[in-house]
Amino acid sequence: RCGLAAARSYSGGGGYPGVSLTCPLPGVPKAVFATAENRERFETRVTVLENGLRVASQNKFGQFCTVGILVNSGSRHEAKYLSGISHFLEKQSPSSTAQFGSKDEILLTLERHGGICDCQASRDTIMYAVSADARGLDTVVNLLADVALQPRLSDEEIEMTRAAIRFELEDLNMRPDPEPLLTEMIHAAAFRDNTVGLNRFCPVENTDRIDREVLHSYLRSYYTPDRMVLAGVGIEHEQLVECARKYLLGVEPAWGTGQSRGVDRSVAQYTGGILKVEKDMSDVSLGPTPIPELTHIMIGLESCSFLEEDFIPFAVLNMMMGGGGSFSAGGPGKGMFTRLYLNVLNRHHWMYNATSYHHSYEDTGLLCIHASADPKQVREMVEIITREFILMAGAVGEVELERAKTQLKSMLMMNLESRPVIFEDVGRQVLATNTRKLPHELCALIGQVKPTDIKRVVTKMLHKKPAVAALGDLTDLPSYEHIQAALSSKDGRLPRLYRLFR
């Protein structure tokens, strides 16, 4: 109730009339909140330069900015080249350039502006990014242009890159968490020998074969202005365009403009299949409390491209499946009410992990479930996971759908609080579509997903052959034909003959 009530003592010792939190304080002027004068100032702006380079920016308050160059290039484009070039470029950058004599010089230059740099290569994109004080934008763009277009690729740097890759490959096989390795295996099984199924990591046998000539040949084909986006967050668009014209327009790269092999424009071909790696997992984590020896299975089915309308229903479905590890912290907002927690981890104490993943690309996608258990429980684990795929096509509860949609919106908005994440979102969307859907547009699309949409995309997905990746002791692993038959059945069970005579 508003108005004067019994006085309440505060720590300061004075008294103040008790006023309900739902009422304005008496005698205080009405608050006037700031509003955006022009909404366009806060939307993503895109300018295409004369050479085809796209410049994209997103306004954001703050002293620091994130700027980078994204290239439409990755392991999926290596069909005509040695596998592992993108991984090689990722590990090699940043290194000496035409202007900077060493990596240390680059880092010292960035340090003057409080900056840090990074290079990441994926299946379809290579990204060079810098976060620094916005007042150093000219220096940052100059540095990015030099790193991307003018690397020296000296013999010493190439040899150091080879050593770094060999070390990473050894570490990959020794990690207690096999998820990166399984992700590579499931892509190789789903898209055998084509596009996104090509290995993202450089094979050991190729480390000595990749040299400056091989790298220049690849860069000549793929590092062209029409396949690049200069993206920035936290800077004025006109200033970024001016820097792009100054440092990225009319620049001849270190590899010249000679004859190229041409760009691989292959469309992903989903094949399905199985990839198995027998591996002793007993010594993955030694010590006083070692991780138990586990067998890891990942089963996937083709979903859709992120350019298709069904991408949003698939994203909601992935959130609805959720899951995690049996030792996850859990709690509200952590996925404890997702299907893989309720139907799998809560009911089968012997399963150590059940997690849903959704990978989406410009021309295809892959929805998969990763599960881990003791090698003696592999058959039961496969049955449980295939049953969850079958149940996706069943009834979808209104409450669980709303929870999944709300959680997806929450995750989207929370991630976009980070400036580097906004930068990557801007760059990737503009690289693929020349524009960007804003968060409120995506949230509106998520809100429109209905149970019928989930059922439609699942029905479409279940008609495909499965992709299976298996790692560890595979003595009791069912054959690929039995897994395929289980996914085609009504209850996800393995064929009876297998259960009786295995």
Side-chain angles (χ1 to χ4, degrees):
R1 190 178 61 182
C2 300
L4 297 176
R8 183 162 55 122
S9 296
Y10 282 76
S11 58
Y16 197 86
V19 178
S20 168
L21 292 176
T22 60
C23 302
L25 289 173
V28 177
K30 186 178 179 181
V32 179
F33 297 99
T35 57
E37 295 176 5
N38 184 356
R39 184 176 172 183
E40 291 181 2
R41 289 179 56 196
F42 304 96
E43 294 183 352
T44 303
R45 296 179 61 185
V46 181
T47 298
V48 182
L49 302 187
E50 292 82 349
N51 62 354
L53 177 80
R54 286 158 285 180
V55 181
S57 72
Q58 176 74 44
N59 228 331
K60 186 174 174 66
F61 295 111
Q63 180 182 348
F64 284 79
C65 66
T66 299
V67 183
I69 295 175
L70 292 92
V71 188
N72 186 6
S73 161
S75 57
R76 69 168 296 163
H77 300 106
E78 294 172 359
K80 300 177 182 178
Y81 298 86
L82 289 172
S83 176
I85 290 178
S86 300
H87 188 202
F88 210 92
L89 290 170
E90 176 189 39
K91 291 299 169 191
Q92 179 269 334
S93 182
S95 58
S96 63
T97 67
Q99 290 185 47
F100 301 94
S102 67
K103 180 177 181 176
D104 290 340
E105 239 183 89
I106 292 174
L107 297 178
L108 284 171
T109 303
L110 285 175
E111 195 175 302
R112 295 189 191 103
H113 300 281
I116 56 173
C117 61
D118 189 24
C119 177
Q120 292 182 9
S122 62
R123 286 185 163 75
D124 51 6
T125 310
I126 293 181
M127 178 175 67
Y128 303 85
V130 170
S131 288
D133 192 309
R135 290 171 293 186
L137 180 65
D138 189 83
T139 302
V140 166
V141 175
N142 178 27
L143 187 148
L144 281 168
D146 219 41
V147 166
L149 299 177
Q150 302 289 338
R152 286 184 181 174
L153 301 175
S154 67
D155 293 339
E156 182 184 357
E157 288 168 341
I158 288 176
E159 195 54 50
M160 288 177 65
T161 303
R162 287 170 179 156
I165 289 175
R166 291 189 193 104
F167 174 81
E168 185 176 0
L169 292 175
E170 285 181 18
D171 178 65
L172 190 67
N173 287 310
M174 295 169 62
R175 286 183 188 176
D177 176 22
E179 196 270 327
L181 198 56
L182 279 168
T183 300
E184 291 306 305
M185 292 169 63
I186 196 73
H187 279 81
F191 305 92
R192 193 168 292 276
D193 298 327
N194 76 92
T195 57
V196 294
L198 300 177
N199 199 339
R200 192 170 67 86
F201 296 105
C202 180
V204 177
E205 61 271 18
N206 284 356
T207 53
D208 290 326
R209 299 171 63 192
I210 295 175
D211 54 20
R212 187 187 300 107
E213 185 179 344
V214 171
L215 293 173
H216 276 184
S217 174
Y218 179 85
L219 292 166
R220 196 175 295 117
S221 296
Y222 288 97
Y223 276 48
T224 55
D226 58 302
R227 298 179 65 83
M228 292 183 178
V229 169
L230 174 66
V233 176
I235 35 80
E236 293 292 336
H237 185 72
E238 290 76 13
Q239 191 181 359
L240 186 62
V241 171
E242 183 183 340
C243 290
R245 290 185 183 281
K246 185 176 178 181
Y247 297 112
L248 290 163
L249 194 61
V251 176
E252 182 172 339
W255 45 88
T257 55
Q259 185 89 18
S260 70
R261 294 194 193 180
V263 174
D264 180 13
R265 303 188 186 278
S266 303
V267 177
Q269 302 296 317
Y270 180 82
T271 59
I274 186 168
L275 185 59
K276 301 185 290 185
V277 175
E278 289 270 2
K279 185 179 178 184
D280 180 10
M281 307 289 283
S282 60
D283 60 348
V284 170
S285 178
L286 302 176
T289 55
I291 293 175
E293 180 183 357
L294 301 175
T295 293
H296 303 272
I297 305 292
M298 193 175 275
I299 300 176
L301 292 165
E302 187 181 21
S303 58
C304 73
S305 155
F306 59 70
L307 299 176
E308 297 178 44
E309 290 183 1
D310 284 343
F311 171 69
I312 298 295
F314 268 116
V316 174
L317 172 64
N318 179 58
M319 191 60 66
M320 193 168 70
M321 298 306 295
S326 58
F327 298 108
S328 172
K334 299 286 284 186
M336 291 297 283
F337 292 97
T338 59
R339 287 192 178 185
L340 291 180
Y341 262 115
L342 295 175
N343 301 343
V344 178
L345 293 170
N346 287 353
R347 296 185 181 184
H348 307 283
H349 64 90
W350 44 268
M351 285 191 67
Y352 284 80
N353 184 34
T355 310
S356 176
Y357 295 96
H358 187 216
H359 306 277
S360 196
Y361 306 97
E362 196 171 348
D363 50 0
T364 188
L366 189 66
L367 183 77
C368 46
I369 296 177
H370 168 210
S372 306
D374 187 273
K376 297 175 183 177
Q377 305 279 16
V378 169
R379 182 186 63 78
E380 291 87 349
M381 176 169 64
V382 170
E383 273 198 358
I384 289 164
I385 297 306
T386 53
R387 185 173 69 242
E388 287 305 312
F389 272 107
I390 299 297
L391 290 174
M392 287 181 193
V396 178
E398 195 64 37
V399 173
E400 71 167 341
L401 180 61
E402 286 304 315
R403 180 183 286 119
K405 287 156 62 174
T406 303
Q407 193 172 350
L408 182 59
K409 291 178 190 177
S410 172
M411 183 179 292
L412 172 68
M413 300 307 294
M414 190 164 56
N415 286 339
L416 290 176
E417 287 290 314
S418 168
R419 189 182 62 253
V421 174
I422 300 174
F423 154 77
E424 188 171 348
D425 183 51
V426 169
R428 285 183 179 276
Q429 286 202 50
V430 172
L431 194 63
T433 66
N434 296 320
T435 186
R436 180 190 180 222
K437 282 185 178 176
L438 294 175
H440 71 271
E441 297 177 83
L442 293 171
C443 286
L445 292 171
I446 293 168
Q448 293 169 12
V449 174
K450 298 179 176 60
T452 51
D453 297 320
I454 301 294
K455 190 165 185 177
R456 184 187 73 253
V457 298
V458 171
T459 302
K460 178 181 174 183
M461 179 177 66
L462 287 174
H463 285 307
K464 305 289 178 67
K465 292 171 60 179
V468 181
L471 177 68
D473 182 350
L474 308 180
T475 306
D476 291 333
L477 178 71
S479 68
Y480 178 75
E481 291 73 19
H482 286 108
I483 296 174
Q484 187 174 3
L487 280 169
S488 303
S489 67
K490 293 181 179 180
D491 56 4
R493 289 187 176 276
L494 294 167
R496 181 173 174 78
L497 286 176
Y498 170 81
R499 297 204 305 276
L500 288 175
F501 300 110
R502 182 63 175 171

